[in-house]
Amino acid sequence: MTQTGMDTDVFQAFVVQLERFVRERLVPAEKETEKLNRVPDAILAEMRDMGLFGLTMPEEYGGAGMNVSQYVETIRILSWASGAFRALISINIGMACSALVKNGTDEQRKYWLPKLADGAIAAFALTEPDSGSDAAALKTSARRDGGDYVLNGSKRYITNAPFADMIIVMARTEAAALPKNAHISAFLVPADTPGVSIGKPEEKLGQNGSQIADVILEDARVPAAALLGGEEGTGFKAAMQSLDAGRICIAAAATGYAARILDCGLRYAAERKAFGQPIAQFQLIQAMLADSKAELYAAECMIRDAALNADKGRQVSLEASCAKMYASEMCGRIADRVVQIHGGAGYLKEYEAERFFRDARIFRIYEGTTQIQQLVIAKNMLRRMAG
Amino acid sequence: MKILVPVKRVIDYNVKVRVKSDQSGVDLANVKMSMNPFDEIAVEEAVRLKEAGTAEEIVAVSIGPEKAQDQLRQALAMGADRAILIKTEETVEPLAVAKLLKKVVEEESPELVILGKQAIDDDSNQTGQMLAALLGWAQGTFASKVNLADGKIDVTREIDGGLQTVSLKLPAIVTTDLRLNEPRYASLPNIMKAKKKPLDVKEIGDYGVDVAPRLETLKVTEPPKREAGVKVESVAELVDKLKNEAGVL
């Protein structure tokens, strides 16, 4: 099944506005975002007005109905600015939308999708102090109690937790570990549910303005209607469905940010003079610029190709992992070279290169580390060879 | 009240303009085009008047190529209700534009026309004034503030060394200056809605107006490159250079 997405002319008109919005509104707000360690309210309101929270939601629920290619392109453009802005919308347009559209009940879709498209912020709570990718070890429990479920446990490193209006909580509905993680169910939990509390935001190396924190569930009681799809044991499957698109998305974010970093390096090299001429005239600087450009171009091609194939309904686990691994590593290399081009200045907080270098590091870690991507790629290669 | 907002498709303000090698004009091939920034301000002002309950309908009109629909759609996404494109691939000079707009005004009967004080491509700064003259309407040009009440509109104008406020009887023409407002971005939901708003496409022939150019462009050239300055040792040397080299004294 091919995903056609929005009308091309409407999408192009949006791109024109978005590019301006990013350069005229988001980039100038970066310093304040970094200082406050949150996106300023006025900017958040503008992001909501722009419709950024509903990119992927179907039109009938107040969203824009973008296909993968379109929203990946949107993320690439948005990621010219600090990752803090993108992080706010990331769960809405990814995991939450996909889980609700593919697995939600009609009632859940009608209740949550218009709210999320309007800018209610979603968080996704899978990781725990003792479990991450190893979902079999997940401890948070959901106990059926009459017409309700009672949730207990703690979740760690949950992006957007301090700002969230709704948290998708993954919890065990079976004590024993079942095949395909069928012991795990997903719950749509309003953040103001009694028994839900949010820990202190973690202090991070970079991407300030985006916050992660623990989510603690102490006898948090939700109605059975909060169980995603109204069926126990489907939570893990629902979470995995948006994995490939999520990885292409992070690849796009790393690619968009790498373009910004390289632009900064290029401008500095053209302005900074040494031995009587701009350092951009020195061949060793040129080599760094050229390598960076070629790698950036390769990543751009990869994300577009992977997204296009996803829209054609093809299985893109391998391509998504290749793009995520390559783009995140590429962004790290470019950030490193741009610090190098800046020389001593690149190590100073006064220059953007320093922030870029810190911000870029996380791309190689979240949404599956480079090492996890390597496993996925190799596994898919072997599977394809076996036919 | 109905407001008419003429908008022009021009070369984007961020683009470095290049002159064609035969000096016949500027190169528009594969160049990003946008709505004239002063016209964006005009659309924004009209939308604000509508949001304030002063205006009921906003009609955007453009005279230009098929692709000028993009700029009209942007006006619709910003809040205009419908749009008219008068299609032409030819260059239309300000007087011809004013004549066409007069016809549109006669058809639409707006009480207010708000347009940019000039377009950033040819910088003519003529259309609004010519339209006011052709219609015999009051005009408030270079508006930095407007206040519409009791059947009249007060327009604060930026003039050399200060501000001047004129009070116009309606119907009237207002041309916008840079500081009138800060135009909004067209949001994704509004861009989607704009696609469903009516956009009529007309031909110049529909209006029976002579749009033949009255000006002939002889050649277009790049501005001269700025050269580095020189330091002089004394006033006497400066005067000498101004007299004998620059020839300005």
Side-chain angles (χ1 to χ4, degrees), chain A residues 166-297:
Chain A
M166 185 265 255
I167 306 168
I168 302 174
V169 177
M170 307 300 271
R172 294 185 92 91
T173 38
E174 291 284 343
L178 300 178
K180 296 186 176 172
N181 291 309
H183 53 284
I184 297 175
S185 300
F187 292 87
L188 308 165
V189 180
D192 58 2
T193 302
V196 175
S197 55
I198 308 298
K200 193 168 153 272
E202 304 285 351
E203 287 186 33
K204 309 193 289 341
L205 173 68
Q207 302 227 346
N208 290 328
S210 165
Q211 291 192 8
I212 63 170
D214 287 358
V215 174
I216 301 117
L217 302 143
E218 293 168 299
D219 289 332
R221 182 175 286 270
V222 291
L227 172 66
L228 180 70
E231 196 184 335
E232 290 184 8
T234 57
F236 195 77
K237 201 180 116 210
M240 291 303 112
Q241 277 170 347
S242 58
L243 208 61
D244 292 340
R247 285 176 177 164
I248 305 172
C249 231
I250 294 297
T255 305
Y257 208 46
R260 165 83 179 282
I261 299 171
L262 183 54
D263 179 71
C264 164
L266 178 65
R267 284 171 194 277
Y268 187 83
E271 280 164 21
R272 165 77 180 163
K273 285 190 177 143
F275 306 103
Q277 56 179 330
I279 60 170
Q281 296 304 320
F282 298 126
Q283 290 182 342
L284 291 178
I285 297 285
Q286 289 182 352
M288 285 196 270
L289 292 171
D291 285 351
S292 298
K293 186 68 184 175
E295 292 173 22
L296 176 63
Y297 180 48

Side-chain angles (χ1 to χ4, degrees), chain A residues 116-169:
Chain A
L116 294 172
D118 255 9
I121 296 171
F124 172 55
L126 169 68
T127 304
E128 299 187 354
D130 297 321
S131 76
S133 299
D134 168 24
L138 185 133
K139 285 195 182 127
T140 297
S141 67
R143 178 175 51 82
R144 182 87 195 213
D145 182 24
D148 297 337
Y149 281 92
V150 180
L151 276 58
N152 277 288
S154 58
K155 297 291 184 180
R156 179 144 293 176
Y157 307 147
I158 307 306
T159 299
N160 292 343
F163 316 126
D165 299 289
M166 185 265 255
I167 306 168
I168 302 174
V169 177

Side-chain angles (χ1 to χ4, degrees), chain A residues 314-376:
Chain A
R314 295 183 184 144
Q315 233 296 333
V316 292
S317 292
L318 183 145
E319 290 76 9
S321 284
C322 287
K324 197 276 170 182
M325 176 175 83
Y326 184 80
S328 59
E329 295 283 340
M330 172 279 298
C331 185
R333 286 193 296 274
I334 290 184
D336 187 77
R337 288 185 196 122
V338 168
V339 168
Q340 201 65 19
I341 289 168
H342 278 67
Y347 203 66
L348 302 182
K349 288 217 178 278
E350 187 186 338
Y351 290 84
E352 285 184 321
E354 183 267 352
R355 170 164 60 88
F356 293 152
F357 184 76
R358 287 185 290 107
D359 285 351
R361 189 60 183 85
I362 190 63
F363 288 125
R364 291 155 60 192
I365 297 170
Y366 59 21
E367 207 79 16
T369 59
T370 290
Q371 289 66 36
I372 288 286
Q373 309 306 335
Q374 287 171 324
L375 296 182
V376 174

Side-chain angles (χ1 to χ4, degrees), chain B residues 109-127:
Chain B
S109 313
E111 280 180 85
L112 187 61
V113 179
I114 310 181
L115 69 169
K117 71 168 182 182
Q118 67 195 68
I120 61 165
D121 49 3
D122 57 20
D123 279 338
S124 290
N125 183 3
Q126 294 169 3
T127 303

Side-chain angles (χ1 to χ4, degrees), chain B residues 2-245:
Chain B
K2 188 195 276 188
I3 303 177
L4 185 75
V5 185
V7 299
K8 186 176 184 184
R9 176 183 171 89
V10 298
I11 200 160
D12 187 84
Y13 70 96
N14 280 314
V15 170
K16 191 174 180 316
V17 176
R18 287 180 201 288
V19 171
K20 283 188 197 166
S21 53
D22 66 359
Q23 299 192 326
S24 64
V26 300
D27 195 356
L28 295 181
N30 299 317
V31 168
K32 188 179 172 196
M33 304 293 281
S34 298
M35 190 194 296
N36 175 35
F38 290 106
D39 298 342
E40 271 190 343
I41 294 170
V43 176
E44 176 66 31
E45 198 61 25
V47 174
R48 288 186 188 187
L49 288 170
K50 190 179 169 191
E51 284 170 347
T54 319
E56 283 88 44
E57 192 186 18
I58 302 166
V59 181
V61 55
S62 190
I63 299 156
E66 184 85 36
K67 287 291 282 174
Q69 288 194 30
D70 293 351
Q71 281 63 49
L72 286 171
R73 290 281 172 212
Q74 186 193 336
L76 293 170
M78 288 172 75
D81 298 287
R82 57 191 177 84
I84 303 164
L85 171 65
I86 303 174
K87 212 169 63 174
T88 173
E89 297 300 325
E90 304 300 319
T91 302
V92 189
E93 291 173 0
L95 181 60
V97 171
K99 285 179 180 171
L100 284 165
L101 290 178
K102 176 172 181 270
K103 294 281 182 187
V104 176
V105 166
E106 284 164 2
E107 272 179 21
E108 294 286 341
S109 313
E111 280 180 85
L112 187 61
V113 179
I114 310 181
L115 69 169
K117 71 168 182 182
Q118 67 195 68
I120 61 165
D121 49 3
D122 57 20
D123 279 338
S124 290
N125 183 3
Q126 294 169 3
T127 303
Q129 295 88 330
M130 286 176 168
L131 179 61
L134 291 174
L135 286 166
W137 287 12
Q139 58 176 310
T141 52
F142 316 149
S144 62
K145 192 180 161 199
V146 300
N147 185 29
L148 186 62
D150 306 325
K152 62 186 182 67
I153 182 164
D154 291 340
V155 177
T156 304
R157 314 177 58 234
E158 298 198 348
I159 55 171
D160 286 346
L163 297 172
Q164 175 194 45
T165 302
V166 293
S167 188
L168 314 176
K169 273 189 292 188
L170 293 175
I173 311 283
V174 171
T175 74
T176 59
D177 213 329
L178 208 56
R179 278 158 290 274
L180 179 59
N181 61 48
E182 203 177 314
R184 69 195 62 197
Y185 300 95
S187 73
L188 180 53
N190 288 335
I191 292 170
M192 291 165 69
K193 281 182 207 145
K195 183 137 197 218
K196 300 189 178 91
K197 291 183 181 178
L199 193 162
D200 286 343
V201 180
K202 308 261 188 165
E203 304 285 338
I204 284 193
D206 298 341
Y207 293 91
V209 169
D210 173 19
V211 295
R214 284 148 196 262
L215 305 172
E216 188 189 348
T217 301
L218 300 178
K219 66 174 179 176
V220 176
T221 57
E222 299 264 0
K225 291 238 173 354
R226 228 182 126 154
E227 288 175 16
V230 288
K231 278 187 181 164
V232 290
E233 296 294 330
S234 65
V235 175
E237 190 188 344
L238 174 66
V239 172
D240 176 63
K241 280 186 184 293
L242 288 173
K243 253 187 199 160
N244 301 319
E245 284 181 30

